[in-house]
Amino acid sequence: MALDHVECARRTIDEICYITIATTCTGMGGRPWNSPVYSAFDSAYNFYWTSDRQSQHSTNIRNNSNVFLAIYNSTIPEGTGAGGGVYIQAQAIELSDPGEIVRAHRILAGRIGKAPRPADHFLGDMPRRIYRATPEKMWVNDVAERDGSPIDIRVEIDLALLRIDEDV
């Protein structure tokens, strides 16, 4: 049976709470910067996290909204990585609309069963902000063969298929 790439992406995203966000540092000659953060997602697979507004990745996002997210299930045994990794090219922004902030924090807090905070906790002089990454492209891991040896490959998945309600 062929690997269902969309279902693998859904499962990994649902099971893994931490994403790694790759950004670039404009003040450091375009050097890459990676940051692991706790995240949650909505039904359109937009990803949300909170971070200190002065952290390097937050500064990088304000200067360049292009990000790359990696979500990987590190609990699977070596050599069985098919479907265990999700890679996402996205656009990230710092949320500033109070209604959007409340909605995003409700999603974040709900993932771990905490009460959401009001929008003013993430505005003005407060140190933390809420960020959203909107996927543009997404890939999952699979296994192929080259010269008789198994190799890891990335397979692009259709975001429209991912976003279709699973219960329909």
CSV table of all heavy atoms in Angstrom, one decimal, residues 11-44:
chain,number,residue,atom,x,y,z
A,11,ARG,N,-1.1,13.7,10.7
A,11,ARG,CA,-0.7,12.9,11.9
A,11,ARG,C,0.5,13.5,12.6
A,11,ARG,O,0.5,13.8,13.8
A,11,ARG,CB,-0.5,11.5,11.6
A,11,ARG,CG,-0.2,10.6,12.8
A,11,ARG,CD,-0.1,9.1,12.5
A,11,ARG,NE,1.0,8.9,11.5
A,11,ARG,CZ,0.8,8.5,10.3
A,11,ARG,NH1,-0.4,8.2,9.8
A,11,ARG,NH2,1.8,8.3,9.5
A,12,THR,N,1.5,13.8,11.8
A,12,THR,CA,2.7,14.4,12.4
A,12,THR,C,2.4,15.8,13.0
A,12,THR,O,2.8,16.1,14.2
A,12,THR,CB,3.9,14.5,11.4
A,12,THR,OG1,4.2,13.2,10.9
A,12,THR,CG2,5.1,15.1,12.0
A,13,ILE,N,1.7,16.6,12.3
A,13,ILE,CA,1.4,18.0,12.8
A,13,ILE,C,0.5,17.9,14.1
A,13,ILE,O,0.7,18.6,15.0
A,13,ILE,CB,0.6,18.8,11.7
A,13,ILE,CG1,1.6,19.1,10.6
A,13,ILE,CG2,0.0,20.0,12.3
A,13,ILE,CD1,0.9,19.6,9.3
A,14,ASP,N,-0.4,16.9,14.1
A,14,ASP,CA,-1.3,16.8,15.3
A,14,ASP,C,-0.5,16.2,16.5
A,14,ASP,O,-0.8,16.7,17.6
A,14,ASP,CB,-2.4,15.8,14.9
A,14,ASP,CG,-3.5,15.8,16.0
A,14,ASP,OD1,-3.9,16.9,16.4
A,14,ASP,OD2,-3.8,14.7,16.4
A,15,GLU,N,0.5,15.3,16.3
A,15,GLU,CA,1.2,14.7,17.4
A,15,GLU,C,2.3,15.5,17.9
A,15,GLU,O,2.6,15.4,19.1
A,15,GLU,CB,1.7,13.3,16.9
A,15,GLU,CG,0.6,12.3,16.7
A,15,GLU,CD,1.2,11.0,16.1
A,15,GLU,OE1,2.4,10.9,15.9
A,15,GLU,OE2,0.4,10.1,15.8
A,16,ILE,N,3.0,16.3,17.1
A,16,ILE,CA,4.2,17.0,17.5
A,16,ILE,C,3.8,18.5,17.9
A,16,ILE,O,3.4,19.2,17.0
A,16,ILE,CB,5.3,16.9,16.5
A,16,ILE,CG1,5.5,15.5,16.1
A,16,ILE,CG2,6.5,17.6,16.9
A,16,ILE,CD1,6.0,14.6,17.2
A,17,CYS,N,4.1,18.9,19.1
A,17,CYS,CA,3.8,20.3,19.5
A,17,CYS,C,4.9,21.3,19.2
A,17,CYS,O,4.6,22.5,19.3
A,17,CYS,CB,3.5,20.3,21.0
A,17,CYS,SG,2.0,19.3,21.5
A,18,TYR,N,6.0,20.8,18.9
A,18,TYR,CA,7.2,21.8,18.6
A,18,TYR,C,7.5,21.8,17.2
A,18,TYR,O,7.6,20.8,16.5
A,18,TYR,CB,8.4,21.4,19.5
A,18,TYR,CG,8.1,21.6,20.9
A,18,TYR,CD1,7.6,20.6,21.7
A,18,TYR,CD2,8.4,22.9,21.5
A,18,TYR,CE1,7.4,20.8,23.1
A,18,TYR,CE2,8.2,23.1,22.8
A,18,TYR,CZ,7.6,22.1,23.6
A,18,TYR,OH,7.4,22.3,24.9
A,19,ILE,N,7.7,23.0,16.7
A,19,ILE,CA,8.2,23.2,15.3
A,19,ILE,C,9.5,24.0,15.4
A,19,ILE,O,9.8,24.7,16.4
A,19,ILE,CB,7.2,24.1,14.5
A,19,ILE,CG1,6.9,25.5,15.1
A,19,ILE,CG2,5.9,23.3,14.3
A,19,ILE,CD1,6.0,26.4,14.2
A,20,THR,N,10.3,23.8,14.4
A,20,THR,CA,11.6,24.6,14.3
A,20,THR,C,11.3,25.6,13.2
A,20,THR,O,10.9,25.3,12.1
A,20,THR,CB,12.8,23.7,13.9
A,20,THR,OG1,12.9,22.7,15.0
A,20,THR,CG2,14.0,24.5,13.9
A,21,ILE,N,11.6,26.9,13.5
A,21,ILE,CA,11.4,28.0,12.6
A,21,ILE,C,12.8,28.4,12.1
A,21,ILE,O,13.6,28.8,12.9
A,21,ILE,CB,10.7,29.2,13.2
A,21,ILE,CG1,9.4,28.7,13.9
A,21,ILE,CG2,10.5,30.3,12.2
A,21,ILE,CD1,8.9,29.7,14.8
A,22,ALA,N,13.0,28.3,10.8
A,22,ALA,CA,14.2,28.9,10.2
A,22,ALA,C,13.9,30.2,9.6
A,22,ALA,O,13.0,30.4,8.8
A,22,ALA,CB,14.7,27.9,9.1
A,23,THR,N,14.7,31.2,10.0
A,23,THR,CA,14.6,32.6,9.5
A,23,THR,C,16.0,33.0,9.1
A,23,THR,O,17.0,32.3,9.2
A,23,THR,CB,14.2,33.5,10.7
A,23,THR,OG1,15.1,33.5,11.8
A,23,THR,CG2,12.8,33.1,11.1
A,24,THR,N,16.1,34.2,8.5
A,24,THR,CA,17.4,34.8,8.1
A,24,THR,C,17.7,36.1,8.8
A,24,THR,O,16.7,36.9,9.0
A,24,THR,CB,17.6,35.0,6.6
A,24,THR,OG1,16.5,35.8,6.2
A,24,THR,CG2,17.5,33.7,5.9
A,25,CYS,N,18.9,36.3,9.2
A,25,CYS,CA,19.3,37.5,10.0
A,25,CYS,C,19.8,38.5,9.0
A,25,CYS,O,20.9,38.4,8.4
A,25,CYS,CB,20.4,37.2,10.9
A,25,CYS,SG,20.0,35.9,12.1
A,26,THR,N,19.0,39.6,8.8
A,26,THR,CA,19.5,40.6,7.8
A,26,THR,C,20.7,41.4,8.3
A,26,THR,O,21.5,41.8,7.5
A,26,THR,CB,18.3,41.6,7.5
A,26,THR,OG1,17.8,42.2,8.7
A,26,THR,CG2,17.2,40.9,6.8
A,27,GLY,N,20.8,41.6,9.6
A,27,GLY,CA,21.9,42.3,10.2
A,27,GLY,C,23.2,41.5,10.3
A,27,GLY,O,24.2,42.0,10.7
A,28,MET,N,23.1,40.2,10.0
A,28,MET,CA,24.2,39.3,10.1
A,28,MET,C,24.6,38.7,8.7
A,28,MET,O,25.0,37.6,8.6
A,28,MET,CB,24.0,38.2,11.1
A,28,MET,CG,23.7,38.7,12.5
A,28,MET,SD,23.1,37.5,13.7
A,28,MET,CE,24.4,36.3,13.7
A,29,GLY,N,24.4,39.5,7.7
A,29,GLY,CA,24.7,39.0,6.3
A,29,GLY,C,23.9,37.9,5.8
A,29,GLY,O,24.3,37.1,5.0
A,30,GLY,N,22.6,37.8,6.3
A,30,GLY,CA,21.7,36.8,5.8
A,30,GLY,C,22.0,35.4,6.4
A,30,GLY,O,21.5,34.4,5.8
A,31,ARG,N,22.6,35.3,7.5
A,31,ARG,CA,22.9,34.0,8.1
A,31,ARG,C,21.6,33.4,8.6
A,31,ARG,O,20.7,34.1,9.0
A,31,ARG,CB,23.9,34.2,9.3
A,31,ARG,CG,25.3,34.6,8.8
A,31,ARG,CD,26.2,34.7,10.0
A,31,ARG,NE,27.4,35.3,9.5
A,31,ARG,CZ,28.6,34.8,9.9
A,31,ARG,NH1,28.7,33.7,10.6
A,31,ARG,NH2,29.7,35.3,9.4
A,32,PRO,N,21.5,32.1,8.5
A,32,PRO,CA,20.3,31.4,9.0
A,32,PRO,C,20.2,31.4,10.5
A,32,PRO,O,21.2,31.4,11.2
A,32,PRO,CB,20.5,30.0,8.4
A,32,PRO,CG,22.0,29.8,8.2
A,32,PRO,CD,22.5,31.1,7.9
A,33,TRP,N,19.0,31.3,11.0
A,33,TRP,CA,18.7,31.2,12.4
A,33,TRP,C,17.6,30.2,12.6
A,33,TRP,O,16.6,30.3,11.9
A,33,TRP,CB,18.3,32.6,12.9
A,33,TRP,CG,18.2,32.6,14.4
A,33,TRP,CD1,17.2,32.4,15.2
A,33,TRP,CD2,19.3,32.9,15.3
A,33,TRP,NE1,17.5,32.5,16.5
A,33,TRP,CE2,18.8,32.8,16.6
A,33,TRP,CE3,20.7,33.2,15.1
A,33,TRP,CZ2,19.6,33.0,17.7
A,33,TRP,CZ3,21.5,33.4,16.2
A,33,TRP,CH2,20.9,33.3,17.5
A,34,ASN,N,17.8,29.2,13.5
A,34,ASN,CA,16.7,28.2,13.8
A,34,ASN,C,16.3,28.4,15.2
A,34,ASN,O,17.1,28.6,16.1
A,34,ASN,CB,17.3,26.8,13.6
A,34,ASN,CG,16.9,26.2,12.3
A,34,ASN,OD1,16.1,26.7,11.6
A,34,ASN,ND2,17.5,25.1,12.0
A,35,SER,N,15.0,28.3,15.4
A,35,SER,CA,14.4,28.4,16.8
A,35,SER,C,13.3,27.3,17.0
A,35,SER,O,12.3,27.4,16.2
A,35,SER,CB,13.8,29.8,17.0
A,35,SER,OG,14.8,30.8,16.8
A,36,PRO,N,13.4,26.5,18.0
A,36,PRO,CA,12.3,25.6,18.3
A,36,PRO,C,11.3,26.3,19.1
A,36,PRO,O,11.7,27.0,20.1
A,36,PRO,CB,13.0,24.4,19.0
A,36,PRO,CG,14.2,25.1,19.6
A,36,PRO,CD,14.6,26.2,18.8
A,37,VAL,N,10.0,26.2,18.8
A,37,VAL,CA,9.0,26.8,19.6
A,37,VAL,C,7.8,25.8,19.7
A,37,VAL,O,7.5,25.0,18.8
A,37,VAL,CB,8.5,28.1,19.0
A,37,VAL,CG1,9.6,29.2,18.9
A,37,VAL,CG2,7.9,27.9,17.6
A,38,TYR,N,7.1,26.0,20.8
A,38,TYR,CA,5.8,25.3,21.0
A,38,TYR,C,4.8,25.9,20.0
A,38,TYR,O,4.8,27.2,19.9
A,38,TYR,CB,5.3,25.4,22.4
A,38,TYR,CG,3.9,25.0,22.6
A,38,TYR,CD1,3.5,23.7,22.8
A,38,TYR,CD2,2.9,26.0,22.6
A,38,TYR,CE1,2.2,23.3,22.9
A,38,TYR,CE2,1.5,25.6,22.8
A,38,TYR,CZ,1.2,24.3,22.9
A,38,TYR,OH,-0.1,23.9,23.0
A,39,SER,N,4.0,25.1,19.4
A,39,SER,CA,3.0,25.7,18.4
A,39,SER,C,1.7,25.0,18.5
A,39,SER,O,1.5,23.9,19.0
A,39,SER,CB,3.6,25.6,17.0
A,39,SER,OG,3.5,24.2,16.6
A,40,ALA,N,0.7,25.6,17.8
A,40,ALA,CA,-0.6,25.1,17.6
A,40,ALA,C,-1.0,25.5,16.2
A,40,ALA,O,-0.4,26.4,15.6
A,40,ALA,CB,-1.6,25.6,18.6
A,41,PHE,N,-2.1,24.9,15.7
A,41,PHE,CA,-2.5,25.2,14.3
A,41,PHE,C,-4.0,25.3,14.2
A,41,PHE,O,-4.7,24.7,15.1
A,41,PHE,CB,-1.9,24.2,13.3
A,41,PHE,CG,-2.4,22.8,13.7
A,41,PHE,CD1,-3.5,22.2,13.1
A,41,PHE,CD2,-1.7,22.0,14.6
A,41,PHE,CE1,-3.9,20.9,13.4
A,41,PHE,CE2,-2.1,20.7,15.0
A,41,PHE,CZ,-3.2,20.2,14.3
A,42,ASP,N,-4.5,26.0,13.2
A,42,ASP,CA,-5.9,26.0,13.0
A,42,ASP,C,-6.4,25.1,11.9
A,42,ASP,O,-5.5,24.3,11.4
A,42,ASP,CB,-6.4,27.5,12.7
A,42,ASP,CG,-5.8,28.1,11.5
A,42,ASP,OD1,-5.3,27.3,10.6
A,42,ASP,OD2,-5.8,29.3,11.4
A,43,SER,N,-7.6,25.1,11.5
A,43,SER,CA,-8.1,24.2,10.5
A,43,SER,C,-7.6,24.4,9.1
A,43,SER,O,-7.6,23.5,8.3
A,43,SER,CB,-9.7,24.2,10.4
A,43,SER,OG,-10.1,25.6,10.1
A,44,ALA,N,-7.0,25.6,8.9
A,44,ALA,CA,-6.3,25.9,7.6
A,44,ALA,C,-4.8,25.6,7.6
A,44,ALA,O,-4.1,25.9,6.7
A,44,ALA,CB,-6.6,27.3,7.2
